[in-house]
Amino acid sequence: MNMTDPHTRHLLYEALLNRDARFDGKLFFAVTSTGIYCRPICPAPKPKPQNVLYYADAATAAMAGFRACKRCRPESRPGSPAWQGTKATVSRALRLLAEPEGPESLSDLADKLGVTDRHLRRLFNDHLGKSPMDVKQENRLSIATTLLADPDAAIADVAFASGFQSVRRFNDVFKEAFGTPPSEWKRKSEWRHT
């Protein structure tokens, strides 16, 4: 691909404007007015077309004297947490939330991840369209419905095993989510399995 051809430059610039992920890792652009190079998916404001130089790899952009962008981390290894950016933070949070004994509050989760709770709420909203605590509650309820299928499981044991701190809270949350208390759900589940 001839990167000096005007038609090619126009196509490459369109990829930058659209943050086209198909070019991520295959194209890097440097901004002559700032001295920084980025990935095409970078959330930073896009430069004027006349200030952009295109490179096939990050090493070449660095050798040309440009500094790596601190937002999109073009110098990092593809697939690494630094390369994944905010998706890596959300993935780590999801792993922590999947543990029944995981963080109890948004601030505890944010502290474990090294971010603010406001930033974490924004990341979850952007990536999943729901809050971290909504995800935690969904995980707990999913575990609870699985455990309630066991005819020998006591409601209190299910509540604590699925991560709830009290049976009362478990009953309230379960009834709100499913429109029936866990004891009724358990009876219906036992009836379906006989």
Side-chain angles (χ1 to χ4, degrees):
M1 180 181 284
N2 180 0
M3 299 217 196
T4 58
D5 175 54
H7 180 68
T8 301
R9 289 183 59 80
H10 173 74
L11 292 174
L12 295 175
Y13 190 71
E14 285 295 315
L16 299 184
L17 290 180
N18 296 323
R19 295 188 176 127
D20 194 335
R22 294 177 298 172
F23 290 89
D24 196 22
K26 300 177 182 109
L27 171 70
F28 297 84
F29 70 97
V31 183
T32 58
S33 58
T34 64
I36 294 173
Y37 73 96
C38 297
R39 294 162 50 192
I41 54 120
C42 187
K46 297 305 178 204
K48 295 178 182 174
Q50 63 269 23
N51 294 338
V52 179
L53 298 175
Y54 299 96
Y55 294 95
D57 58 68
T60 306
M63 287 177 54
F66 293 96
R67 295 181 322 276
C69 173
K70 292 193 185 299
R71 291 183 81 177
C72 67
R73 306 287 302 271
E75 80 288 4
S76 58
R77 182 181 49 78
S80 69
W83 183 271
Q84 291 176 350
T86 59
K87 281 196 288 187
T89 303
V90 173
S91 294
R92 287 177 48 219
L94 289 172
R95 283 193 299 276
L96 290 170
L97 290 171
E99 299 170 4
E101 66 283 347
E104 280 303 311
S105 69
L106 180 63
S107 60
D108 289 345
L109 178 61
D111 286 345
K112 285 187 183 241
L113 297 169
V115 297
T116 65
D117 54 347
R118 183 171 175 243
H119 181 63
L120 189 57
R121 269 193 311 273
R122 187 173 51 246
L123 290 180
F124 266 70
N125 190 48
D126 291 349
H127 289 275
L128 302 172
K130 55 180 99 172
S131 77
M133 293 300 105
D134 287 344
V135 170
K136 177 131 185 105
Q137 188 162 295
E138 289 171 3
N139 289 344
R140 287 177 170 176
L141 290 171
S142 176
I143 292 168
T145 57
T146 301
L147 295 175
L148 286 170
D150 179 355
D152 298 327
I155 299 295
D157 293 340
V158 170
F160 294 119
S162 50
F164 288 90
Q165 300 300 308
S166 74
V167 176
R168 183 178 182 160
R169 177 76 179 138
F170 171 59
N171 286 330
D172 291 345
V173 169
F174 197 95
K175 188 172 183 179
E176 184 181 323
F178 298 110
T180 185
S183 56
E184 183 66 26
W185 179 282
K186 184 172 178 50
R187 274 194 294 279
K188 288 179 182 175
S189 178
E190 288 170 0
W191 180 78
R192 282 191 296 262
H193 290 93
T194 57

